[in-house]
Amino acid sequence: MNLARLCRRLVTTLSLVLAASAPAQTPPHRVQIGDRFYCQDRQLGTWFYCERPKAEEPDKPAAPVPPAQTAAEKLDAITAELRELKARAILEPTPDNVTAYIRFQRAQLDRASLFGDVWQRALWQTPDLDYTLQRPVGTVAKQQWSDARKVERDEALDRLGARYGLFYFFAQSCGACRVMSPIVKAVADTHHLTVRAISTDGGPSETFPRYTVETNQRARMGLTAKVTPAVVLFDSATQTAIPIGYGIIAADELMERIFLLTQRKAGSDY
């Protein structure tokens, strides 16, 4: 046996040994790049750099976490469910539907009662949030507040005469004017306010014998309403007219309106 034949036999033997230890089939994710004899016929794999490692896949982004439901959304969901149960109970009034609605409604009433109870407790313990300290609702506290308010109001009205006066528009044919005229006079006399009575139809007044017939006074003061009786407060300092009210107004209410319009800013009492 010559040397060439011996070499060929050794190569063949080595190939068979390596082929027996190699996988029977190249995995589909491998790409062969080596010689055909070694990589395909003999399937020597990584021994002859026949296989390229599979590229690593990038990490998939994590699924987004849904945002937590807000309190407003939860309340909207409760309201929607309550409406649905109510509609179902009305349209299909079976015992199950009606019972389901009553149970759910009762649960929400309990929730509302708990809220109201905690609300009241919070007001008791936080005086700056308790509106009843400014405007009492209890019998005893309300009476005390009313008495103090009346004293403050009367003192303020007693000082108004130096700056303010009253225009009183009436008509002889106006039944309400016969009721309102004595009220206006009583309030004016009590607090020393000057009253200028103006007859809108030219007729006299038993209460205000020294009246004036209207000659477009309301228009000059910027008053568009032609209703009688009408009480208008006139500010001599600013030359502005302040309508107090129309129709029959009780004396106490008339004084309260004058007090509020001259001594209080809007919203300060509430």
Side-chain angles (χ1 to χ4, degrees):
M1 183 180 298
N2 56 29
L3 182 60
R5 182 176 298 176
L6 178 61
C7 291
R8 285 197 298 271
R9 184 171 296 178
L10 288 174
V11 170
T12 301
T13 302
L14 179 60
S15 299
L16 293 174
V17 172
L18 294 176
S21 62
Q25 183 178 357
T26 302
H29 65 275
R30 303 280 187 172
V31 179
Q32 294 179 343
I33 59 175
D35 183 82
R36 177 182 178 85
F37 175 77
Y38 295 105
C39 297
Q40 296 183 17
D41 295 343
R42 301 299 181 182
Q43 298 182 0
L44 299 182
T46 55
W47 291 96
F48 286 85
Y49 304 99
C50 296
E51 298 173 356
R52 177 180 298 165
K54 181 180 178 182
E56 295 183 1
E57 296 182 358
D59 295 336
K60 294 183 180 180
V65 179
Q69 194 177 31
T70 66
E73 290 172 341
K74 292 179 181 179
L75 185 60
D76 289 342
I78 291 174
T79 303
E81 185 173 358
L82 181 63
R83 292 181 58 192
E84 176 62 24
L85 291 173
K86 180 180 179 180
R88 193 180 304 163
I90 293 174
L91 297 177
E92 302 174 16
T94 63
D96 289 342
N97 288 345
V98 174
T99 300
Y101 170 62
I102 294 174
R103 288 186 183 280
F104 194 81
Q105 184 189 50
R106 176 59 187 271
Q108 305 323 308
L109 290 176
D110 291 343
R111 189 193 302 270
S113 298
L114 175 60
F115 169 75
D117 190 14
V118 176
W119 174 291
Q120 185 63 72
R121 293 166 187 252
L123 292 182
W124 291 342
Q125 299 171 17
T126 315
D128 59 305
L129 298 179
D130 192 352
Y131 176 70
T132 62
L133 296 179
Q134 302 175 37
R135 293 295 296 268
V137 295
T139 303
V140 176
K142 187 174 182 179
Q143 183 61 50
Q144 186 277 330
W145 181 90
S146 298
D147 293 343
R149 175 62 169 255
K150 186 178 183 299
V151 171
E152 180 186 7
R153 183 191 69 190
D154 291 345
E155 291 177 351
L157 293 182
D158 288 341
R159 298 190 298 266
L160 290 182
R163 175 174 173 176
Y164 295 92
L166 291 176
F167 279 88
Y168 174 59
F169 295 90
F170 71 94
Q172 182 187 25
S173 58
C174 168
C177 296
R178 288 191 289 272
V179 177
M180 187 62 186
S181 295
I183 296 175
V184 174
K185 188 176 187 306
V187 171
D189 290 345
T190 300
H191 297 289
H192 315 291
L193 295 171
T194 300
V195 179
R196 184 175 178 183
I198 299 176
S199 175
T200 59
D201 63 356
S205 169
E206 296 179 359
T207 307
F208 296 101
R210 300 178 61 181
Y211 65 92
T212 302
V213 177
E214 183 176 17
T215 55
N216 210 29
Q217 286 94 332
R218 282 184 287 190
R220 289 198 298 269
M221 286 189 289
L223 304 176
T224 58
K226 301 296 183 181
V227 180
T228 54
V231 181
V232 178
L233 192 67
F234 188 79
D235 186 350
S236 61
T238 60
Q239 296 294 303
T240 56
I242 308 171
I244 300 298
Y246 303 89
I248 300 175
I249 306 172
D252 192 67
E253 174 66 19
L254 182 62
M255 290 185 287
E256 185 69 15
R257 293 187 187 186
I258 295 173
F259 173 73
L260 289 175
L261 290 171
T262 59
Q263 306 298 313
R264 290 286 189 271
K265 291 182 179 180
S268 61
D269 264 2
Y270 303 97

